Amino acid sequence: MDVIDALKRRISTRAFLDTPVSETEIRELLDAARWSASGGNLQPWQVYVVAGEARQRVIDAVQKKLSTDPFTNEAAFPVYPESLWEPYRSRRFQVGEDMYELLGIPREDKGARLAHLMANYEFFGAPVGVFFSIDERMNPNQWAHLGMFMMSFCLAAEAKGLATCMQEAWTVHAGTVANALGVEKPQIVYCGLALGHADKDAKVNQLRTRRAEVDEFASFEGF
Ligand SMILES: Cc1cc2nc3c(=O)[nH]c(=O)nc-3n(C[C@H](O)[C@H](O)[C@H](O)COP(=O)(O)O)c2cc1C
């Protein structure tokens, strides 16, 4: 699969088979992703891969926090700016509406929508969870480079027939996740990722999200 195919085929997968993924396979993905570019070649990323008992330990820790202290936000900063403006506000709204329409969950059914969100905290059934951390002293530039690394990881997974979903949902519980993983400051957990084999029969995996056309975000001069 070439890179352009991988870019166009990758989606956020939100239902997985329980088919295991081996450590060897995941090492291969990381071995590819480590060639991502980063300013000054800082490579400002750390990765924690969990399966089996370790995966369950993270799930249990967050489920426990959700049941006792659901509203404390442990993220280093809010996932989105406080009140989004156009066109971002509409895009965010649209992807949610498209997904819930596909799943047949109406706006009034807050319980079903919440249950769908909570599946994040079980990696959507994926057998492997991956967490990415960064040194909290880093600047926005290095955060961007961590994101590039994460995307490289997703593309490598796609090329190998594996499915992914990046999950900022875990960020809200970053401290709890860090404790469960044994991650210590100055490293801070940024994002989780579900990794496994897609359940191709699951409706949620039929979602193809929209994108702005090239001319909406790019300009060309001098051609
Ligand atoms: C850094 C990052 C974090 C994300 N966090 C979540 C998440 O917590 N839960 C979720 O269901 N989707 C999450 N997504 C998926 C986005 O909603 C998705 O990428 C976007 O709607 C575009 O859809 P696509 O990935 O299928 O192309 C995340 C995506 C990125 C890049």
Side-chain angles (χ1 to χ4, degrees), residues 10-14 80 95 99 116 120 124 150 165-170 190-192 207-209 211:
R10 184 216 57 83
I11 60 162
S12 293
T13 296
R14 296 187 178 89
Y80 299 103
V95 72
M99 181 181 306
H116 176 70
N120 267 293
F124 298 112
M150 289 167 53
C165 184
M166 294 190 231
Q167 296 184 280
E168 276 172 346
W170 296 98
Y190 160 50
C191 196
L207 179 69
R208 291 302 312 205
T209 51
R211 292 294 189 276

Side-chain angles (χ1 to χ4, degrees), residues 27-85:
R27 282 184 176 278
E28 206 179 335
L29 306 183
L30 291 168
D31 188 49
R34 76 193 166 103
W35 293 102
S36 298
S38 60
N41 201 20
L42 261 61
Q43 306 162 65
W45 43 75
Q46 290 288 320
V47 182
Y48 314 84
V49 187
V50 289
E53 182 274 326
R55 167 187 176 279
Q56 196 58 47
R57 191 173 68 238
V58 179
I59 292 175
D60 290 347
V62 169
Q63 297 291 351
K64 188 169 166 211
K65 177 178 177 258
L66 283 167
S67 64
T68 54
D69 180 18
F71 300 115
T72 305
N73 186 339
E74 299 174 348
F77 48 81
V79 171
Y80 299 103
E82 203 168 301
S83 119
L84 272 181
W85 52 94

Side-chain angles (χ1 to χ4, degrees), residues 163-188:
T164 54
C165 184
M166 294 190 231
Q167 296 184 280
E168 276 172 346
W170 296 98
T171 312
V172 179
H173 310 291
T176 304
V177 172
N179 283 341
L181 293 171
V183 175
E184 290 182 1
K185 294 243 177 162
Q187 287 294 316
I188 49 172

